[in-house]
């Protein structure tokens, strides 16, 4: 079973909620308000690059 974690940067009640999960060597990213919509799958390298760009 995949364990999704809510980002600490998602905020309280602002409605902008992101969850991440370890997917066997990749990182999954999804909208916690609509998990049935699917998720993005990124390599660890690409996820790191994304976080660097967002910082």
């Amino acid at each position: 079973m995949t364990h999704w974690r809510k980002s600490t940067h998602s905020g309280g009640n602002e409605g902008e909620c992101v969850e991440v999960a370890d997917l066997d060597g990749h990182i999954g990213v999804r909208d916690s308000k609509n998990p049935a919509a699917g998720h993005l799958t990124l390599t660890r390298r690409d996820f790191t690059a994304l976080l660097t760009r967002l910082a």
Side-chain angles (χ1 to χ4, degrees):
M1 179 173 182
T2 302
H3 176 72
W4 291 92
R5 295 172 296 156
K6 188 173 182 180
S7 170
T8 58
H9 295 283
S10 290
N13 297 320
E14 299 163 15
E16 297 176 10
C17 302
V18 175
E19 293 180 322
V20 297
D22 184 352
L23 303 176
D24 295 322
H26 289 79
I27 303 295
V29 181
R30 73 179 183 183
D31 180 350
S32 66
K33 297 179 314 272
N34 191 7
H39 64 272
L40 297 173
T41 301
L42 303 169
T43 64
R44 291 186 181 280
R45 180 179 172 189
D46 288 341
F47 183 69
T48 300
L50 174 65
L51 293 181
T52 300
R53 287 287 260 187
L54 294 174

